[in-house]
Coordinates of all heavy atoms in Angstrom, one line a residue:
D1 N 32.7 86.0 -42.2 CA 31.8 86.2 -43.3 C 32.6 86.8 -44.5 O 32.4 86.4 -45.6 CB 30.6 87.0 -42.9 CG 29.7 86.4 -42.0 OD1 29.7 85.2 -41.8 OD2 28.8 87.2 -41.3
R2 N 33.4 87.8 -44.2 CA 34.2 88.4 -45.3 C 35.2 87.5 -45.9 O 35.5 87.6 -47.1 CB 34.9 89.7 -44.7 CG 33.8 90.8 -44.3 CD 34.5 91.9 -43.6 NE 33.4 92.8 -43.0 CZ 33.7 93.7 -42.2 NH1 34.9 94.1 -41.9 NH2 32.7 94.5 -41.7
L3 N 35.9 86.7 -45.1 CA 36.8 85.7 -45.6 C 36.1 84.7 -46.5 O 36.6 84.4 -47.6 CB 37.5 84.9 -44.5 CG 38.6 85.7 -43.7 CD1 39.0 84.9 -42.4 CD2 39.8 86.0 -44.6
D4 N 34.9 84.3 -46.2 CA 34.1 83.4 -47.0 C 33.8 84.0 -48.3 O 33.9 83.5 -49.4 CB 32.9 82.9 -46.3 CG 33.2 81.8 -45.4 OD1 34.2 81.1 -45.5 OD2 32.3 81.5 -44.5
L5 N 33.4 85.3 -48.3 CA 33.0 86.1 -49.5 C 34.2 86.2 -50.4 O 34.2 86.1 -51.7 CB 32.5 87.4 -49.2 CG 31.0 87.5 -48.6 CD1 30.7 88.9 -48.2 CD2 30.0 87.0 -49.7
L6 N 35.4 86.5 -49.8 CA 36.6 86.7 -50.6 C 37.0 85.5 -51.3 O 37.4 85.5 -52.5 CB 37.7 87.2 -49.6 CG 39.0 87.6 -50.3 CD1 38.8 88.8 -51.3 CD2 40.0 88.0 -49.2
R7 N 36.8 84.3 -50.6 CA 37.3 83.0 -51.3 C 36.4 82.7 -52.5 O 36.9 82.0 -53.4 CB 37.0 81.9 -50.3 CG 38.1 81.9 -49.2 CD 37.9 80.8 -48.2 NE 38.0 79.5 -49.0 CZ 37.6 78.3 -48.5 NH1 36.9 78.3 -47.4 NH2 37.9 77.3 -49.1
Y8 N 35.3 83.3 -52.7 CA 34.5 83.0 -53.8 C 34.4 84.2 -54.8 O 33.6 84.1 -55.7 CB 33.0 82.6 -53.4 CG 33.1 81.3 -52.6 CD1 32.8 81.4 -51.2 CD2 33.4 80.1 -53.1 CE1 32.9 80.3 -50.4 CE2 33.5 79.0 -52.3 CZ 33.3 79.0 -50.9 OH 33.3 77.9 -50.2
G9 N 35.2 85.1 -54.6 CA 35.3 86.3 -55.5 C 36.6 86.3 -56.2 O 37.2 85.3 -56.5
H10 N 37.1 87.4 -56.7 CA 38.3 87.6 -57.4 C 39.4 88.0 -56.5 O 39.8 89.2 -56.5 CB 38.1 88.6 -58.6 CG 37.2 88.1 -59.6 ND1 37.5 87.2 -60.5 CD2 35.8 88.4 -59.8 CE1 36.5 86.9 -61.3 NE2 35.4 87.6 -60.8
G11 N 39.8 87.2 -55.6 CA 40.8 87.5 -54.7 C 41.0 86.4 -53.7 O 40.4 85.3 -53.7
T12 N 41.9 86.7 -52.7 CA 42.3 85.6 -51.7 C 42.8 86.3 -50.5 O 43.3 87.5 -50.5 CB 43.2 84.6 -52.2 OG1 43.3 83.5 -51.3 CG2 44.6 85.1 -52.5
A13 N 42.8 85.7 -49.4 CA 43.4 86.1 -48.1 C 44.3 84.9 -47.8 O 43.9 83.8 -47.7 CB 42.4 86.4 -47.0
L14 N 45.6 85.3 -47.5 CA 46.6 84.3 -47.1 C 47.1 84.5 -45.7 O 47.3 85.8 -45.4 CB 47.8 84.2 -48.1 CG 47.4 84.0 -49.6 CD1 48.6 84.2 -50.5 CD2 46.8 82.6 -49.8
V15 N 47.1 83.5 -44.9 CA 47.5 83.7 -43.5 C 48.8 83.0 -43.3 O 49.1 81.9 -43.8 CB 46.4 83.2 -42.6 CG1 46.1 81.7 -42.8 CG2 46.6 83.6 -41.2
A16 N 49.7 83.6 -42.4 CA 50.9 83.0 -42.0 C 50.7 82.5 -40.6 O 50.3 83.3 -39.7 CB 52.0 84.0 -42.1
L17 N 51.1 81.3 -40.3 CA 51.0 80.6 -39.0 C 52.2 80.1 -38.6 O 53.0 79.4 -39.4 CB 49.9 79.5 -39.1 CG 48.5 80.0 -39.6 CD1 47.7 78.7 -40.1 CD2 47.8 80.7 -38.4
E18 N 52.5 80.3 -37.3 CA 53.7 79.7 -36.7 C 53.3 79.2 -35.3 O 53.1 80.0 -34.4 CB 54.8 80.7 -36.4 CG 55.6 81.2 -37.5 CD 56.7 82.1 -36.9 OE1 56.3 83.2 -36.4 OE2 57.8 81.8 -37.1
W19 N 53.2 77.9 -35.1 CA 52.9 77.4 -33.8 C 51.9 78.1 -33.0 O 52.0 78.1 -31.7 CB 54.2 77.4 -32.9 CG 55.5 77.2 -33.7 CD1 56.5 78.1 -33.8 CD2 55.9 76.0 -34.4 NE1 57.5 77.5 -34.6 CE2 57.1 76.2 -35.0 CE3 55.3 74.8 -34.7 CZ2 57.8 75.3 -35.7 CZ3 55.9 73.8 -35.5 CH2 57.2 74.2 -36.0
G20 N 50.9 78.6 -33.5 CA 49.8 79.3 -32.7 C 49.0 80.2 -33.5 O 48.6 79.9 -34.7
P21 N 48.6 81.3 -33.0 CA 47.7 82.2 -33.7 C 48.4 82.8 -34.9 O 49.6 82.8 -35.0 CB 47.4 83.3 -32.6 CG 48.4 83.2 -31.6 CD 48.9 81.8 -31.6
P22 N 47.7 83.4 -35.8 CA 48.2 83.9 -37.0 C 49.3 85.0 -36.7 O 49.1 85.8 -35.9 CB 47.0 84.6 -37.7 CG 45.8 83.9 -37.3 CD 46.1 83.5 -35.8
S23 N 50.4 84.9 -37.5 CA 51.5 85.9 -37.4 C 51.3 87.0 -38.4 O 51.9 88.1 -38.2 CB 52.8 85.2 -37.7 OG 53.1 84.1 -36.9
G24 N 50.6 86.7 -39.5 CA 50.4 87.8 -40.5 C 49.3 87.4 -41.5 O 48.8 86.3 -41.6
I25 N 48.9 88.3 -42.3 CA 47.9 88.1 -43.4 C 48.2 89.1 -44.5 O 48.7 90.2 -44.4 CB 46.5 88.4 -42.8 CG1 45.4 88.1 -43.9 CG2 46.3 89.8 -42.3 CD1 44.0 88.1 -43.4
V26 N 47.9 88.6 -45.7 CA 47.9 89.4 -46.9 C 46.6 89.2 -47.6 O 46.1 88.1 -47.7 CB 49.2 89.1 -47.8 CG1 49.1 87.6 -48.3 CG2 49.2 90.1 -49.0
V27 N 46.0 90.3 -48.1 CA 44.8 90.2 -48.8 C 45.0 90.7 -50.2 O 45.6 91.8 -50.3 CB 43.6 91.0 -48.1 CG1 42.3 91.0 -48.9 CG2 43.3 90.5 -46.7
L28 N 44.5 90.0 -51.2 CA 44.9 90.2 -52.6 C 43.6 90.2 -53.4 O 42.8 89.3 -53.2 CB 45.8 89.1 -53.0 CG 46.3 89.1 -54.4 CD1 47.3 90.3 -54.7 CD2 47.1 87.8 -54.7
H29 N 43.5 91.1 -54.3 CA 42.3 91.2 -55.2 C 42.8 91.3 -56.6 O 43.9 91.9 -56.8 CB 41.4 92.4 -55.0 CG 40.8 92.4 -53.6 ND1 39.6 91.8 -53.3 CD2 41.3 93.0 -52.5 CE1 39.4 92.0 -52.0 NE2 40.5 92.7 -51.4
W30 N 42.2 90.7 -57.6 CA 42.5 90.9 -59.0 C 41.4 91.3 -59.8 O 40.3 91.0 -59.5 CB 43.3 89.7 -59.6 CG 42.6 88.4 -59.4 CD1 41.6 87.8 -60.0 CD2 43.0 87.4 -58.3 NE1 41.3 86.6 -59.5 CE2 42.2 86.3 -58.5 CE3 43.9 87.4 -57.3 CZ2 42.2 85.3 -57.6 CZ3 44.0 86.4 -56.4 CH2 43.1 85.3 -56.6
Y31 N 41.8 92.1 -60.9 CA 40.7 92.6 -61.7 C 41.2 93.0 -63.1 O 42.5 93.2 -63.3 CB 40.1 93.9 -61.1 CG 41.2 94.9 -60.8 CD1 41.6 95.9 -61.7 CD2 41.8 94.9 -59.5 CE1 42.5 96.9 -61.4 CE2 42.8 95.8 -59.2 CZ 43.2 96.8 -60.2 OH 44.1 97.7 -59.8
P32 N 40.4 93.0 -64.2 CA 40.9 93.4 -65.5 C 41.1 94.9 -65.5 O 40.5 95.6 -64.8 CB 39.7 93.0 -66.4 CG 38.5 92.9 -65.5 CD 39.0 92.6 -64.1
A33 N 42.1 95.2 -66.3 CA 42.5 96.7 -66.5 C 42.5 97.0 -68.0 O 43.0 96.2 -68.8 CB 43.8 96.9 -65.9
L34 N 41.9 98.0 -68.4 CA 41.9 98.5 -69.8 C 43.3 98.7 -70.4 O 43.5 98.4 -71.6 CB 41.1 99.8 -69.9 CG 39.6 99.6 -69.6 CD1 38.9 101.0 -69.8 CD2 39.0 98.6 -70.5
E35 N 44.2 99.1 -69.6 CA 45.6 99.5 -70.2 C 46.5 98.3 -70.2 O 47.6 98.4 -70.7 CB 46.2 100.7 -69.4 CG 46.6 100.3 -67.9 CD 45.5 100.4 -66.9 OE1 44.3 100.7 -67.3 OE2 45.7 100.2 -65.7
Q36 N 46.1 97.1 -69.7 CA 47.0 96.0 -69.7 C 46.2 94.7 -70.2 O 45.0 94.6 -70.0 CB 47.4 95.7 -68.3 CG 48.4 96.8 -67.7 CD 48.9 96.4 -66.4 OE1 48.9 95.2 -66.0 NE2 49.2 97.4 -65.6
A37 N 47.0 93.8 -70.9 CA 46.4 92.7 -71.5 C 45.9 91.7 -70.4 O 45.0 90.9 -70.6 CB 47.3 92.0 -72.5
S38 N 46.7 91.6 -69.3 CA 46.4 90.6 -68.3 C 45.8 91.3 -67.1 O 46.0 92.6 -66.9 CB 47.7 89.9 -67.9 OG 48.7 90.7 -67.5
P39 N 45.1 90.7 -66.2 CA 44.5 91.3 -65.0 C 45.6 91.8 -64.2 O 46.8 91.4 -64.2 CB 43.8 90.1 -64.4 CG 43.6 89.1 -65.4 CD 44.8 89.2 -66.3
V40 N 45.3 92.8 -63.3 CA 46.1 93.3 -62.3 C 45.8 92.8 -60.9 O 44.6 92.7 -60.6 CB 46.0 94.9 -62.3 CG1 46.8 95.5 -61.2 CG2 46.4 95.5 -63.7

């Protein structure tokens, strides 16, 4: 459920796969910041 919510929000989860179950994951979110012109 959380992976589905993340896909439709401001972020993503990326999975690393090698010949079987996941080897790793990175979860990333982005958002506007007042002190920078581009999102963080």
Side-chain angles (χ1 to χ4, degrees):
D1 292 342
R2 293 173 192 172
L3 287 170
D4 280 341
L5 287 172
L6 187 60
R7 288 182 62 202
Y8 299 108
H10 295 281
T12 190
L14 303 173
V15 63
L17 301 160
E18 285 186 295
W19 325 116
S23 301
I25 184 171
V26 62
V27 179
L28 179 70
H29 301 271
W30 46 84
Y31 54 89
L34 293 178
E35 68 277 2
Q36 295 183 22
S38 56
V40 172

